[in-house]
Amino acid sequence: MANSQGIQLVDLDEQGIDRAFRADVLAGLGQEQKAIPARWLYDDAGSQLFEDITKVPEYYPTRAETEILESRGEEFAEAIGPGRAVVEFGSGSSVKTPLLLKAIEPGAYVPLDIAGDFLRAAAADLSAKFPGLPVHPVEADFTKKVELPAEVADMPKLGFFPGSTIGNMVPRTAVDLLRSMRETLGDKAKLLIGMDLIKDRKVLEAAYDDAAGVTAEFNLNLLRRINRELGGNIPVEKFHHDARWNDTFARIEMHAVADADVEFEVAGRTFAMQAGETIHTENSHKFGKRSANTLLLGGHWTPVGRWTDAEGRFSVILAEATIKRAAP
Ligand code: AVI
């Protein structure tokens, strides 16, 4: 998971500190509304905590999307057709990816990821499950156009981006990513993408603030990571996790809220927060049918199919590469 979120090459300074992490944290804590990019939630501990989140009863997206992939295989096969190179953005889930590959008779599987270790492990796992399927892992930053292996050059492509990870990006970044995917996959491509749906705010807020406190741990782990890796002394015990629905942006926001006035240091710089002030740590955008379509269209993808789970909580959308035209 760190992989599909963690779009960064690790560049360490003389003291072994990740320069990009330090730069993002110092810039983020220096803003009036403190905010740190969500990708930093996924160190080893954070990635494990995210895995744990997918199993808590309140967090429905993983189960709802899996239900769709499990139950709609025949319809996917019909809509997608055989012989496509499935290009997965991120190293792949050991549960979801096999469900898709089993359903559609792919020509090859190409997982893309910036994190080589995750990538090789996922590729080996998949090869073992699908012995006849050519698997070509590519270590790359998929937020930019990626050169795909020569072996799949002549196959039509199917991009696969499950999990509603697109929802963790603000619309502008999401559109940039969709356009890069379009460039990577080419004119005849299709894209199968998971997008979580707008629903009762109580259900959403509970999904991001489970009773067992796993999501709270996931959120506060970021502050612990800052202390560990950036020589910080944030008093983590004086913060609590908050998940709140922002209706204007149609998103759940995670914040770490200071319970008292606090002062702390990170990487030699001093910061102060008043009681009630927050560090914004993640957005998880939710979509309606039309807002999902608008985002895809902005990314040069034309939606052609849509499936939801039985309870209507989550959608999986099939889109085709939009063909460029000079005029309406
Ligand atoms: C990875 N991503 C799609 C998750 C989500 O639902 O936005 C991350 C997450 N954050 C808290 N819980 C889950």
Side-chain angles (χ1 to χ4, degrees):
M1 203 51 241
N3 27 342
S4 59
Q5 297 289 308
I7 312 294
Q8 76 272 342
L9 286 163
V10 180
D11 173 22
L12 304 177
D13 75 1
E14 323 66 56
Q15 290 148 352
I17 292 177
D18 184 328
R19 287 194 170 92
F21 183 36
R22 180 174 52 206
D24 276 356
V25 170
L26 292 180
L29 293 179
Q31 299 177 131
E32 194 170 319
Q33 169 59 69
K34 295 181 178 359
I36 297 171
R39 66 169 187 262
W40 301 113
L41 289 162
Y42 298 87
D43 62 349
D44 287 348
S47 299
Q48 183 54 55
L49 284 162
F50 176 69
E51 280 304 309
D52 298 343
I53 287 172
T54 64
K55 293 174 191 119
V56 301
E58 298 91 334
Y59 189 77
Y60 61 85
T62 309
R63 280 187 299 278
E65 189 178 40
T66 304
E67 175 195 317
I68 298 167
L69 293 170
E70 232 160 20
S71 61
R72 303 305 191 99
E74 279 177 26
E75 290 165 54
F76 291 145
E78 165 92 31
I80 292 164
R84 289 188 177 261
V86 174
V87 177
E88 181 157 14
F89 296 93
S91 281
S93 136
S94 53
V95 177
K96 294 176 199 169
T97 310
L99 289 173
L100 175 67
L101 296 179
K102 231 188 284 168
I104 65 163
E105 279 187 61
Y109 174 61
V110 183
L112 302 184
D113 209 298
I114 195 93
D117 293 349
F118 283 100
L119 184 66
R120 280 181 285 277
D125 193 41
L126 241 295
S127 292
K129 282 192 181 118
F130 296 86
L133 181 71
V135 176
H136 306 286
V138 177
E139 195 170 339
D141 173 0
F142 62 72
T143 62
K144 311 202 174 77
K145 182 183 177 190
V146 177
E147 263 340 298
L148 296 177
E151 292 91 330
V152 301
D154 295 331
M155 288 181 200
K157 315 294 184 299
L158 174 73
F160 186 43
F161 196 43
S164 203
T165 300
I166 195 82
N168 294 128
M169 294 156 207
V170 295
R172 181 196 167 127
T173 314
V175 166
D176 284 348
L177 175 62
L178 290 166
R179 290 182 182 190
S180 295
M181 290 174 166
R182 168 78 177 73
E183 292 301 308
T184 296
L185 298 172
D187 278 348
K188 302 243 162 56
K190 298 187 182 191
L191 174 69
L192 194 66
I193 183 167
M195 295 174 93
D196 194 15
L197 297 172
I198 297 170
K199 57 185 64 64
D200 187 294
R201 74 186 290 162
K202 288 209 179 66
V203 175
L204 286 168
E205 286 174 350
Y208 291 82
D209 191 9
D210 59 281
V214 182
T215 311
E217 259 320 293
F218 173 66
N219 189 8
L220 298 178
N221 176 60
L222 177 58
L223 306 189
R224 296 199 178 91
R225 178 180 187 187
I226 293 170
N227 285 349
R228 249 187 341 261
E229 295 184 24
L230 302 179
N233 61 1
I234 304 172
V236 182
E237 70 290 351
K238 292 197 175 134
F239 283 80
H240 73 268
H241 164 69
D242 186 40
R244 51 181 80 154
W245 175 247
N246 182 328
D247 200 53
T248 303
F249 289 91
R251 69 191 186 198
I252 284 284
E253 297 179 359
M254 289 205 318
H255 291 256
V257 187
D259 294 321
D261 293 355
V262 290
E263 206 178 279
F264 53 84
E265 276 187 25
V266 174
R269 294 241 313 258
T270 304
F271 298 93
M273 293 175 68
Q274 292 183 341
E277 227 187 299
T278 78
I279 305 173
H280 185 174
T281 51
E282 189 184 52
N283 294 314
S284 193
H285 293 82
K286 308 299 168 189
F287 303 91
K289 186 177 174 192
R290 289 190 193 281
S291 63
N293 286 356
T294 302
L295 194 73
L296 287 162
L297 289 164
H300 301 162
W301 292 96
T302 305
V304 292
R306 179 178 186 270
W307 296 267
T308 59
D309 60 301
E311 288 180 49
R313 295 167 298 177
F314 196 94
S315 64
V316 172
I317 299 174
L318 181 67
E320 290 178 353
T322 305
I323 301 305
K324 289 170 197 140
R325 315 197 308 195

